[in-house]
Amino acid sequence: MNESIEKRELINRGKAKSVYATDDPDRLILEFRDDTSAFDGAKTAQLAGKGVINNRFNAFIMERLEAAGIPTHFERLLSDHESLVKRLDMFPIECVVRNLTAGSICRRLGVPEGMDLEPPVFEFFLKNDELHDPMINEYHIRAFHWATDAQVAAMKDLTFRVNEVLKKLFADAGLLLVDYKLEFGDYHGQVVLGDEFTPDGCRLWDAKTRAKLDKDRFRQGLGGVVEAYQEVARRIGVPLD
Ligand code: TMP
Ligand code: ASP
């Protein structure tokens, strides 16, 4: 993949990323913007430097996952804000794994934040902002034909394999991987990890102090959002310049 690639039309402008077509029907360009959104778009802001750091953070994590045998859409960094990826046919589903309680599980089940979950909890959500990403299960996925049983099994297996790789990667940097959300798509018959892995879509706490170093700083108005992402990136060894 060293040949030059031509950026074509905007296909989708998401809350934090834009997706562009290329001259290769099998490749897309992801642009990581500084836009930050929470609560399904109800709270938004521009955070200077977030796009650059998330682009590099995502590249670093995707390369680690590939090296561990997990198929991802990531191909290469193109610029400060852009990455080249494979074009997947995305499932409208979010796969969440939780190692500790935080966020919606606390509200839903009335449990305190920070309880260990052993074994980890797996949850599916429907990707739909208007409906506030409702929780769904495998019966919904089957009945509405959002994915086949084999694709569901592959998504669950890959999401748990990501947990093993990333729990260790973050633990080695003194960080707890509290929870994370992954999205998958079909690439010529194979279930492949798409979207992104950045502190926008996971929770990371300092292992000693349990300080929040992820998008909860934005959701909860704690400040220092980009600084926290930089701290995590520095600790795990993401090249930042
Ligand atoms: P939750 O506690 O809000 O259900 O989120 C669990 C994890 O998944 C948390 O790290 C945030 C991430 N997530 C997203 O990034 N986007 C989403 O739309 C959802 C539902 C979760
Ligand atoms: N990612 C979703 C949003 O941007 C949900 C969240 O992170 O709170 O609105």
Side-chain angles (χ1 to χ4, degrees), residues 4-229:
S4 67
I5 196 106
E6 201 181 297
K7 190 171 179 178
R8 296 261 171 96
E9 77 278 7
L10 177 70
I11 293 181
N12 179 50
R13 188 177 162 88
K15 295 190 294 292
K17 295 192 296 302
S18 299
V19 183
Y20 292 87
T22 70
D23 54 333
D24 180 343
D26 268 342
R27 301 285 181 279
L28 298 171
I29 292 175
L30 290 189
E31 182 198 355
F32 289 79
R33 307 194 315 270
D34 287 345
D35 299 291
T36 310
S37 143
F39 312 119
D40 307 314
K43 177 174 180 174
T44 60
Q46 286 260 325
L47 298 178
K50 198 203 63 153
V52 172
I53 187 150
N54 274 7
N55 189 33
R56 293 185 185 165
F57 197 108
N58 178 64
F60 180 87
I61 296 287
M62 291 282 172
E63 281 175 352
R64 291 304 182 92
L65 295 176
E66 281 282 351
I70 293 157
T72 81
H73 69 159
F74 181 77
E75 300 230 319
R76 61 186 158 97
L77 284 168
L78 292 177
S79 71
D80 274 356
H81 285 268
E82 297 165 312
S83 286
L84 184 67
V85 299
K86 294 184 180 73
R87 181 201 282 259
L88 312 184
D89 188 8
M90 297 301 290
F91 305 114
I93 291 168
E94 305 189 333
C95 298
V96 168
V97 161
R98 302 177 188 274
N99 295 307
L100 290 133
T101 57
S104 72
I105 196 172
C106 298
R107 296 192 293 277
R108 249 183 293 122
L109 303 183
V111 294
E113 184 178 86
M115 286 174 63
D116 281 322
L117 294 169
E118 183 50 51
V121 169
F122 184 98
E123 296 170 346
F124 283 117
F125 295 91
L126 180 66
K127 193 173 167 68
N128 186 319
D129 277 346
E130 292 77 54
L131 300 178
H132 304 294
D133 295 343
M135 185 187 261
I136 53 172
N137 65 33
E138 286 160 58
Y139 289 85
H140 301 106
I141 297 175
R142 194 175 298 128
F144 292 106
H145 308 291
W146 289 321
T148 66
D149 286 358
Q151 289 166 334
V152 167
M155 283 190 267
K156 282 176 77 171
D157 175 59
L158 291 169
T159 302
F160 278 118
R161 281 167 60 191
V162 166
N163 201 33
E164 290 318 302
V165 177
L166 296 188
K167 253 193 324 192
K168 173 156 192 340
L169 182 146
F170 289 116
D172 289 346
L175 297 162
L176 291 170
L177 178 58
V178 174
D179 59 29
Y180 57 92
K181 179 265 299 177
L182 302 179
E183 296 179 30
F184 294 89
D186 175 276
Y187 186 73
H188 300 292
Q190 187 186 20
V191 174
V192 171
L193 177 61
D195 192 49
E196 67 179 77
F197 191 104
T198 70
D200 272 0
C202 69
R203 290 190 173 93
L204 293 162
W205 295 348
D206 181 277
K208 283 211 185 77
T209 66
R210 298 210 161 188
K212 297 180 198 293
L213 298 170
D214 54 64
K215 202 168 81 177
D216 269 350
R217 299 200 70 83
F218 177 69
R219 294 190 189 95
Q220 299 175 9
L222 301 175
V225 180
V226 174
E227 291 78 4
Y229 290 21

